[in-house]
Amino acid sequence: MGDDVPVLLGLLLVAAAGTGTVLVRDPVRQSFLLSLLGLALATLFLLLQAPDVALSQLAVGSVLTPLMVLLTVRKVRRRARSERREERA
């Protein structure tokens, strides 16, 4: 029973971060919460004694995916801004 408490806390953290990521509407905040979700999953994998999976999750889920989301949002916002400028001219 004592060994299950950290895993249970990890699962609750993953559930909270995942729920928060889904409920937030702003893409920048979503990417931040997605990064926290990746960290929570990496911690859970570490608690479950899967350090190789934890390292992969840390790299992909905590860094690369949120970075791709942020870069995509930036590009879409720039394109929308330039289209609005063209319409005004």
Side-chain angles (χ1 to χ4, degrees), residues 79-89:
R79 185 172 290 169
R81 236 183 279 139
S82 68
E83 287 175 1
R84 280 190 300 234
R85 285 184 197 146
E86 290 175 2
E87 289 176 0
R88 290 181 199 162

Side-chain angles (χ1 to χ4, degrees), residues 27 65-78:
T65 304
L67 180 63
M68 288 173 48
V69 169
L70 284 174
L71 291 174
T72 303
V73 167
R74 181 178 174 194
K75 185 166 187 148
V76 167
R77 287 182 178 171
R78 273 188 180 177

Side-chain angles (χ1 to χ4, degrees), residues 2 12 15-16 19 30 39 48 53 57 62 72 74 79 89:
L12 289 174
T19 303
Q30 278 180 339
L39 285 172
L48 294 173
V53 180
Q57 177 62 35
S62 300
T72 303
R74 181 178 174 194
R79 185 172 290 169

Side-chain angles (χ1 to χ4, degrees), residues 9-85:
L9 289 175
L11 285 170
L12 289 174
L13 184 61
V14 167
T19 303
T21 302
V22 171
L23 293 178
V24 170
R25 302 296 256 174
D26 181 35
V28 175
R29 289 185 178 146
Q30 278 180 339
S31 65
F32 175 72
L33 287 171
L34 187 61
S35 182
L36 288 178
L37 176 61
L39 285 172
L41 282 169
T43 304
L44 181 62
F45 291 142
L46 199 58
L47 289 171
L48 294 173
Q49 298 179 0
D52 52 340
V53 180
L55 282 173
S56 298
Q57 177 62 35
L58 195 60
V60 174
S62 300
V63 178
L64 291 178
T65 304
L67 180 63
M68 288 173 48
V69 169
L70 284 174
L71 291 174
T72 303
V73 167
R74 181 178 174 194
K75 185 166 187 148
V76 167
R77 287 182 178 171
R78 273 188 180 177
R79 185 172 290 169
R81 236 183 279 139
S82 68
E83 287 175 1
R84 280 190 300 234
R85 285 184 197 146

